[in-house]
Amino acid sequence: MNVKWSRIITSTLIVGLAISTLLVFRYMLNQPQDLQLNQDVQSNTLVQSDKPVPDLKLDIEVIAAKQEVVQHEEAPAFVGKEGDHPHPISKDHERLFNENALVGNVLGAIDIEDVEALRKLSQQHQEQYPEALMMQRGIDIIADCMEEKTEAVKYAAQSYYDSERASRLRRYVRRYCLEG
């Protein structure tokens, strides 16, 4: 029974491989030569051929003509002074931009392991964004780990790592406090 099934499975695999090989060759033979040469040129491969390299602009037009064109309604044009944004930059936008810049500075200080700068940035973050307690807590934990890894700091780091699963600082807490 086992020999019979193994022969059936082997035969099925061989037939499937033969059919898929034939389909691939059939597909390759039906490909227009222009498109194959153009694909080689676009993929930056070196193609040795006696034919001159076709003009890509012309080929793109030919390919675009073969594709179905979908018409969309035009979006209304922005009416305003030149240089204006389509929507105003609000105080909330500016606040978010500033917070992202501050977090970028924090990540830079972490990368160069500057504990003093981390403490200053943590204080600055606390003054400007008092509602973001978890970010400040993460900055302080990382700075504590860089200074001295005590059992209390490791416990705080593990607690932060376990509870703050979406924090930008989570991987740095793991790297500087929990590993090594």
Side-chain angles (χ1 to χ4, degrees):
M1 184 83 167
N2 283 337
V3 174
K4 180 180 177 182
W5 280 106
S6 66
R7 286 183 180 170
I8 291 173
I9 291 172
T10 305
S11 300
T12 306
L13 289 174
I14 291 172
V15 169
L17 182 62
I19 291 173
S20 63
T21 304
L22 286 174
L23 290 174
V24 168
F25 282 125
R26 184 177 176 198
Y27 175 75
M28 289 174 61
L29 290 176
N30 289 336
Q31 282 281 336
Q33 291 295 338
D34 297 336
L35 292 178
Q36 286 180 348
L37 181 60
N38 192 17
Q39 288 171 354
D40 290 338
V41 170
Q42 286 181 351
S43 66
N44 294 328
T45 58
L46 182 59
V47 177
Q48 292 186 356
S49 173
D50 295 337
K51 296 179 184 178
V53 177
D55 183 19
L56 290 180
K57 183 177 181 185
L58 178 63
D59 286 346
I60 291 171
E61 291 172 0
V62 170
I63 292 170
K66 290 181 182 179
Q67 294 177 349
E68 184 179 323
V69 178
V70 179
Q71 296 292 331
H72 297 285
E73 293 181 21
E74 287 189 29
F78 171 67
V79 179
K81 297 177 187 172
E82 201 168 311
D84 285 347
H85 289 279
H87 58 85
I89 302 295
S90 67
K91 296 288 183 190
D92 291 336
H93 289 110
E94 289 177 4
R95 179 181 161 99
L96 184 60
F97 296 152
N98 291 335
E99 184 177 14
N100 285 339
L102 184 60
V103 170
N105 291 337
V106 166
L107 297 179
I110 291 172
D111 286 340
I112 62 172
E113 298 182 15
D114 189 352
V115 176
E116 187 177 320
L118 277 175
R119 300 275 185 213
K120 288 178 183 176
L121 290 168
S122 175
Q123 183 64 31
Q124 183 180 353
H125 194 276
Q126 184 177 3
E127 291 168 1
Q128 293 178 3
Y129 309 98
E131 71 280 357
L133 296 175
M134 290 302 139
M135 179 66 80
Q136 296 155 18
R137 181 175 165 230
I139 296 168
D140 291 336
I141 288 172
I142 293 168
D144 291 342
C145 288
M146 287 180 180
E147 279 184 344
E148 185 179 0
K149 265 191 220 180
T150 63
E151 288 302 316
V153 172
K154 286 183 184 179
Y155 180 80
Q158 188 66 53
S159 172
Y160 184 88
Y161 186 80
D162 292 341
S163 63
E164 299 303 316
R165 301 188 56 90
S167 173
R168 295 184 196 179
L169 299 178
R170 188 170 190 256
R171 66 178 152 182
Y172 294 101
V173 169
R174 183 189 72 233
R175 184 182 304 156
Y176 289 100
C177 301
L178 303 177
E179 292 178 350

